[in-house]
């Protein structure tokens, strides 16, 4: 039974895992960029944390 569990937990080989990681990181950076722009635009519209 131990011999059967030599592979990764995900079932991906190293090449597939590296490809998935690249797509995941690209997607995450895109999401963070969109979120940052949205926060800047929202702050420009109605600033928060500013004493009136």
């Amino acid at each position: 039974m131990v011999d059967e569990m030599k592979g990764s937990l995900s079932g991906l080989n190293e090449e597939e895992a590296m490809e998935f990681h690249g797509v995941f990181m690209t997607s995450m950076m895109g999401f963070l960029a969109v979120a940052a722009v949205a926060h800047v635009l929202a702050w420009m519209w109605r600033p928060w944390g500013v004493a009136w």
Side-chain angles (χ1 to χ4, degrees):
M1 179 133 203
V2 174
D3 292 335
E4 294 175 12
M5 299 179 71
K6 279 187 174 180
S8 69
L9 293 175
S10 66
L12 301 175
N13 63 31
E14 189 170 348
E15 183 181 333
E16 292 169 337
M18 292 297 288
E19 182 180 355
F20 176 82
H21 178 73
V23 171
F24 179 83
M25 292 302 291
T26 302
S27 301
M28 184 178 72
M29 291 301 161
F31 175 81
L32 290 175
V34 170
V37 169
H39 278 80
V40 168
L41 291 174
W43 186 83
M44 289 171 60
W45 175 52
R46 293 210 176 162
W48 60 85
V50 178
W52 292 96

